[in-house]
Amino acid sequence: MAKQCARCRDRAALRRPKTFEQLCKACFFQCLEDEVHTTITSNALFKPGERVAIAASGGKDSTVLAHMMTLLNQRHNYGLDLFLLSIDEGIAGYRDDSLETVKRNEQTYGIPLKVLSYRELYGWSMDQIVAQIGTKNNCTFCGVFRRQALDRGGVLERADKIASGHNADDIAETILLNIIRGDIPRLSRCVNIVTGGEGPLPRVKPFKYTYEKEIVMYAYFNKLDYFSTECVYAPFAARGFARDFVKDLEAARPAGIMDLIHSAESWTISTGSQEQMPTPQRLPAVHIAVASCLPSKCYKPS
């Protein structure tokens, strides 16, 4: 016997990984969109009239974010001026193909696209950097460059905020990585839904409480156009081990992802504890290594 949708009693098409509800496609779309809308409004992520850059890579998260932000902006009259902001790291066989997806999304959603490249900003592509330093830690280097490139792009395009597609799984992985590294200062910040709020260009995470599996299902059932090939340098990243752990945790206990996030949200670090705690040396080492292989005029540590 076919299972019924828990909301409308029509034929169910899926079971939500987050809640185990049996839902039809229409009710699943509505539930996920309503949850993201609640996240946006309850955390006051945007104000009417703001110009918002959607960090667009062409992958599932940023494509669903572009789709949903366009939809919710119209449905709930957010009054936002949206545009896509993409960074071309210069990774052959990966970023060049994914950017074609972003260009198609520009046409689909009718919002403008701005593309900036590492070569344009720093004088080197990521492939050239890896050729100089090897595969060790290159994802860390690329992360530093990418964050700075997004900031520069946002400033150039006069954005008020940058919206990223970081989802609940991503945040759970970051929590674990910071625990493993003993990076207490970052551990206390990594669950913030708004980062850089004290600066001129805050970043917001509308998908903070949205499971990756549900983003994939939303993209699949909506037949969204996204790029699914993994970066050629991803197998060398330490995050892969945290990702595997989170997937195993979700398989054993689906609520485990939210448990990790809510636990990290409730942690407090006293001022006295922070003064006694050693500062992690990993990031300064990255600046030194990167500075040694890039022209000094092209790279400025943030």
Side-chain angles (χ1 to χ4, degrees):
M1 180 178 176
K3 295 183 178 180
Q4 291 183 322
C5 173
R7 302 296 178 97
C8 70
R9 314 313 296 176
D10 282 347
R11 185 187 180 97
L14 57 96
R15 186 180 77 162
R16 282 195 70 181
K18 187 176 182 179
T19 63
F20 295 125
E21 285 181 292
Q22 297 286 345
L23 297 174
C24 66
K25 288 193 288 186
C27 287
F28 171 63
F29 296 158
Q30 190 66 51
C31 286
L32 203 62
E33 289 159 7
D34 287 348
E35 286 183 8
V36 173
H37 172 63
T38 299
T39 299
I40 289 171
T41 54
S42 62
N43 292 279
L45 297 188
F46 306 112
K47 296 177 183 177
E50 286 186 325
R51 181 163 166 79
V52 178
I54 299 173
S57 66
K60 63 185 185 314
D61 298 313
S62 65
T63 299
V64 172
L65 181 63
H67 173 91
M68 205 175 287
M69 284 297 299
T70 303
L71 182 71
L72 296 178
N73 191 37
Q74 296 170 349
R75 179 184 296 169
H76 298 288
N77 195 26
Y78 291 164
L80 303 178
D81 178 14
L82 303 173
F83 72 97
L84 302 173
L85 177 58
S86 291
I87 305 303
D88 180 3
E89 300 93 341
I91 302 174
Y94 169 67
R95 184 54 72 210
D96 43 2
D97 292 336
S98 69
L99 281 175
E100 293 303 313
T101 303
V102 178
K103 292 174 184 176
R104 292 194 296 271
N105 286 335
E106 176 189 15
Q107 301 301 316
T108 299
Y109 303 118
I111 51 180
L113 166 66
K114 174 66 176 178
V115 179
L116 289 175
S117 70
Y118 281 8
R119 186 183 293 277
E120 176 185 353
L121 293 172
Y122 310 121
W124 288 51
S125 70
M126 196 62 207
D127 283 343
Q128 290 174 313
I129 294 169
V130 173
Q132 291 289 321
I133 65 175
T135 57
K136 187 177 181 181
N137 290 331
N138 49 50
C139 288
T140 304
F141 301 157
C142 190
V144 173
F145 291 148
R146 183 176 173 78
R147 284 190 292 274
Q148 187 180 85
L150 284 170
D151 285 341
R152 290 190 183 185
V155 170
L156 286 171
E157 293 299 307
R158 301 183 182 278
D160 297 299
K161 285 174 182 167
I162 296 176
S164 70
H166 290 95
N167 59 51
D169 298 54
D170 296 327
I171 294 170
E173 292 163 13
T174 303
I175 292 168
L176 289 174
L177 284 170
N178 286 329
I179 290 173
I180 293 169
R181 292 166 175 161
D183 198 336
I184 303 302
R186 289 191 178 187
L187 185 58
S188 64
R189 299 193 305 264
C190 68
V191 290
N192 293 342
I193 196 166
V194 179
T195 55
E198 68 286 349
L201 193 58
R203 297 180 182 220
V204 298
K205 305 169 188 170
F207 288 165
K208 178 183 175 180
Y209 300 113
T210 306
Y211 279 25
E212 182 178 53
K213 281 184 179 178
E214 299 199 347
I215 291 173
V216 172
M217 293 168 73
Y218 186 91
Y220 173 78
F221 284 115
N222 270 300
K223 296 181 171 58
L224 301 186
D225 181 8
Y226 67 93
F227 185 76
S228 57
T229 301
E230 186 178 60
C231 175
V232 295
Y233 302 124
F236 305 102
R239 181 172 286 271
F241 299 103
R243 181 175 294 116
D244 291 342
F245 183 87
V246 168
K247 296 305 179 191
D248 291 342
L249 178 64
E250 183 184 16
R253 176 182 166 79
I257 293 174
M258 294 304 297
D259 290 343
L260 265 174
I261 293 173
H262 290 319
S263 295
E265 287 175 333
S266 66
W267 293 338
T268 57
I269 302 172
S270 68
T271 304
S273 299
Q274 288 180 318
E275 290 174 352
Q276 298 172 21
M277 212 162 292
T279 302
Q281 296 300 308
R282 178 175 51 84
L283 192 56
V286 169
H287 288 313
I288 293 169
V290 172
S292 68
C293 66
L294 289 181
S296 59
K297 64 180 178 66
C298 295
Y299 178 74
K300 291 182 174 59
S302 56

